[in-house]
């Protein structure tokens, strides 16, 4: 992605995305809007509850102006339980091409599993603490908008550690599990190599072994990276 400076020092990105933000905290909603707009992205709407989110997406769809991605809190009014993630799942079913990135205060395994159990394209689950890491957060929004995935390392660690899924991953070595976790965060092979201080070739070998052991063929295309993480969710 190209990044440069425009008038007034504002950072401009080449891959501009259109975003709708659903967050009941006005301060956080405005903060997210500022983070994204300062980096050249378009926040086309901001809402404070799940009902308003679904209504806004319906209105934009009627105008043939769907956003690229929705950023939504898991817990929203009126009950502050699961309204946000329920709306996210509903929107993914109605608009398969719409990216959905949900934010949560804690790792809530049931909600993460429900969100990830459908299509592997354009989905993300991040802890709110990750927002403080501005570059990583904005990169995650763009990645999800472009059909990729963005999973918080804590989410990956908890999901991969589920005892009832151990049979699916039993054939992986500790290093392959480590590589799988980094893949799930959306990192490229080169980024994984830097993180683990190994060669790109070594990472490529680990990734190939993961695909082989999880039964993912070349016919699955580029989505094998996501499917490698999500296979155990559907077992």
């Amino acid at each position: 992605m190209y990044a440069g400076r425009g008038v007034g020092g504002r950072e401009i990105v080449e891959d501009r995305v259109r975003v709708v933000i659903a967050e009941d905290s006005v301060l956080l909603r405005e903060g997210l809007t500022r983070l994204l707009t300062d980096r050249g992205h378009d926040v086309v709407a901001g809402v404070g509850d799940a009902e308003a989110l679904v209504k806004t997406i319906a209105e934009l769809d009627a105008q043939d102006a769907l956003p690229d991605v929705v950023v939504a809190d898991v817990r929203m009014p009126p009950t502050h339980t699961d309204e946000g993630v329920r709306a996210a799942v509903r929107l993914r079913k109605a608009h398969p091409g719409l990216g959905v990135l949900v934010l949560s205060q804690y790792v809530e395994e049931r909600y993460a599993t429900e969100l990830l159990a459908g299509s592997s394209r354009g989905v993300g689950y991040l802890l709110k603490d990750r927002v403080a890491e501005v570059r990583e957060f904005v990169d995650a929004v763009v990645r999800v908008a472009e059909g990729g995935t963005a999973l918080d390392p804590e989410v990956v660690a908890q999901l991969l550690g589920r005892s009832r899924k151990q049979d699916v991953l039993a054939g992986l070595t500790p290093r392959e599990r480590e590589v799988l976790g980094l893949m799930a965060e959306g990192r490229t092979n080169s980024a994984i190599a830097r993180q683990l201080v190994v060669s790109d070739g070594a990472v490529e070998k680990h990734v190939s072994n993961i695909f082989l052991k999880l039964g993912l063929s070349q016919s699955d295309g580029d989505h094998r990276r996501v499917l490698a993480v999500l296979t155990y969710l559907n077992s």
Side-chain angles (χ1 to χ4, degrees):
M1 179 184 299
Y2 168 79
R5 294 287 176 179
V7 178
R10 180 179 178 180
E11 188 174 1
I12 303 299
V13 296
E14 186 175 85
D15 299 326
R16 176 176 293 186
V17 298
R18 300 176 69 253
V19 188
V20 168
I21 297 174
E23 167 58 58
D24 62 297
S25 167
V26 175
L27 288 178
L28 181 53
R29 187 166 71 240
E30 292 300 320
L32 294 175
T33 299
R34 181 63 181 270
L35 286 180
L36 292 166
T37 56
D38 278 357
R39 283 154 184 80
H41 301 295
D42 297 325
V43 177
V44 297
V47 299
D49 61 71
E51 182 178 348
L53 170 60
V54 173
K55 181 180 179 181
T56 296
I57 295 301
E59 292 173 348
L60 290 171
D61 185 35
Q63 301 168 19
D64 196 25
L66 275 177
D68 300 301
V69 60
V70 167
V71 177
D73 192 357
V74 165
R75 297 173 180 263
M76 299 187 73
T79 68
H80 292 279
T81 54
D82 61 357
E83 285 88 349
V85 74
R86 293 287 183 197
V89 171
R90 178 178 170 185
L91 290 173
R92 279 175 57 75
K93 290 179 179 178
H95 308 284
L98 176 66
V100 174
L101 173 62
V102 299
L103 303 178
S104 179
Q105 192 69 39
Y106 311 101
V107 178
E108 300 181 84
E109 184 177 315
R110 177 167 63 89
Y111 299 151
T113 301
E114 184 172 6
L115 183 69
L116 297 170
S119 170
S120 60
R121 288 185 56 82
V123 63
Y125 189 111
L126 296 181
L127 296 184
K128 287 187 175 181
D129 288 347
R130 195 69 53 190
V131 175
E133 300 173 21
V134 176
R135 181 179 294 277
E136 289 189 19
F137 170 69
V138 176
D139 285 350
V141 172
V142 173
R143 190 160 63 248
V144 170
E146 294 177 344
T149 185
L151 301 181
D152 194 281
E154 291 297 323
V155 174
V156 174
Q158 184 158 321
L159 291 178
L160 291 180
R162 296 171 69 181
S163 59
R164 72 184 182 90
K165 299 298 183 181
Q166 291 304 306
D167 57 329
V168 179
L169 304 175
L172 300 184
T173 66
R175 177 62 92 182
E176 287 165 354
R177 286 172 178 258
E178 192 172 9
V179 170
L180 178 57
L182 293 171
M183 286 166 58
E185 294 173 32
R187 304 197 189 202
T188 64
N189 285 0
S190 295
I192 294 173
R194 289 193 297 272
Q195 175 74 18
L196 300 180
V197 194
V198 298
S199 69
D200 287 3
V203 173
E204 290 175 4
K205 183 176 180 180
H206 287 311
V207 172
S208 294
N209 287 339
I210 290 169
F211 291 157
L212 179 63
K213 292 178 180 180
L214 295 185
L216 300 172
S217 68
Q218 291 186 356
S219 62
D220 292 313
D222 293 338
H223 300 306
R224 286 191 299 173
R225 296 185 73 85
V226 179
L227 292 172
V229 179
L230 302 183
T231 293
Y232 73 100
L233 289 175
N234 297 318
S235 65

